[in-house]
Amino acid sequence: MSDIRLAQMDDAEAIHRILQETWGESLLFDVFSDHISSPAHQVFVAVEVGEVAGFLSAFLVSNPVSRWEIDLIIVRSGSQGKGIGTSLIQDALTYGSRLGVRSAKASIRIDNYASQRAFAKVGFTTEAQIRSLLLWKPLAFRFVADVPETVHLIPVDTLTYRGLWIEGFVESQLSQQAQRDVIRTTQSRIFDAERLNTGMFIPDDLKGVIAPDLLTSATNHGQYHWWQYVFR
């Protein structure tokens, strides 16, 4: 049996090791410290026989519509198959339900069947639309253009990276020049803010509306489904 609790600063090294073992990535210790001390972020750990067997991080997104975003969830290989992932998600939902949001969301790679099963088990559903995660690197020049009100730029600090999410891009039906202006503006902003990248999820069946040069200059970080849980 494992116990689920809120993470403490003493858990940082264990979470760092799990990230390195699983993904070869490092924990941003300053972000972790901020997350466990902020009510708008949280990290949950599963403890098995006195050791951290897995963790989940989540944070509040308040624009354009408030939601509880479940970001990272990892269970060590030796502890998988015991329902730990499901328990972590359930505790994250319990916490999120107290924040006054209507829904929780998770982006899950289309080939991550274990996560899909765990999220489905606690009541998440998906429309199964395939979305590609496109990322752009910072550009070292100042570029400023008006960003339409329907496009939302959301600074995101996770346990492994600092980025800038773009939402409402496709839905805004921007001209190709306006698309370029938005992306260049965000690339300039993340350079100034020392963020790793800027990116967004694009439905695969709508890639044809994106300026071709933007597609070729982006890194495709994989295909995902959006999963949603509605609080009652």
Side-chain angles (χ1 to χ4, degrees):
M1 294 290 294
S2 62
D3 294 323
I4 310 297
R5 60 168 172 77
L6 297 180
Q8 305 166 0
M9 202 62 210
D10 290 346
D11 299 317
E13 287 292 345
I15 291 173
H16 176 66
R17 286 194 299 271
I18 291 173
L19 279 167
Q20 290 195 318
E21 293 169 1
T22 307
W23 291 344
E25 296 191 12
S26 298
L27 175 69
L28 297 177
F29 285 83
D30 58 332
V31 175
F32 175 76
S33 178
D34 289 343
H35 276 25
I36 64 175
S37 61
S38 166
H41 302 79
Q42 202 47 262
V43 182
F44 306 82
V45 294
V47 180
E48 189 177 41
V49 197
E51 294 187 358
V52 175
F55 71 92
L56 180 152
S57 65
F59 54 88
L60 183 67
V61 176
S62 57
N63 187 24
V65 178
S66 295
R67 68 175 186 267
W68 185 230
E69 186 88 17
I70 296 182
D71 181 47
L72 299 178
I73 177 171
I74 302 178
V75 177
R76 298 182 70 168
S77 58
S79 298
Q80 293 176 4
K82 302 178 182 179
I84 292 175
T86 301
S87 296
L88 283 166
I89 298 167
Q90 288 173 328
D91 273 47
L93 288 176
T94 298
Y95 186 97
S97 68
R98 304 177 187 137
L99 299 177
V101 297
R102 294 184 178 181
S103 66
K105 177 174 158 289
S107 302
I108 305 175
R109 291 183 71 104
I110 62 173
D111 57 352
N112 189 345
Y113 305 115
S115 285
Q116 292 172 28
R117 288 193 295 270
F119 278 86
K121 190 172 182 178
V122 300
F124 276 78
T125 59
T126 178
E127 85 288 10
Q129 184 177 46
I130 296 176
R131 291 176 167 86
S132 292
L133 176 55
L134 302 183
L135 301 175
W136 289 267
K137 295 180 179 180
L139 289 181
F141 64 85
R142 182 165 296 279
F143 185 93
V144 179
D146 291 333
V147 176
E149 292 183 357
T150 52
V151 176
H152 305 281
L153 306 182
I154 305 170
V156 173
D157 294 339
T158 77
L159 299 187
T160 58
Y161 88 107
R162 297 176 177 88
L164 182 65
W165 285 0
I166 305 170
E167 297 192 359
F169 188 89
V170 174
E171 295 83 350
S172 297
Q173 298 182 338
L174 306 176
S175 68
Q176 292 193 354
Q177 185 56 51
Q179 293 175 12
R180 296 184 184 98
D181 288 346
V182 169
I183 297 301
R184 288 170 183 161
T185 296
T186 59
Q187 288 179 292
S188 176
R189 289 190 186 184
I190 61 174
F191 178 81
D192 291 340
E194 297 183 345
R195 292 183 175 273
L196 181 63
N197 54 46
T198 183
M200 59 183 163
F201 288 96
I202 298 290
D204 279 11
D205 58 358
L206 293 178
K207 283 183 178 178
V209 306
I210 306 299
D213 55 303
L214 293 181
L215 293 177
T216 57
S217 63
T219 299
N220 191 324
H221 199 62
Q223 294 177 311
Y224 294 77
H225 292 146
W226 280 355
W227 289 70
Q228 185 177 48
Y229 180 93
V230 178
F231 292 109
R232 293 177 172 80

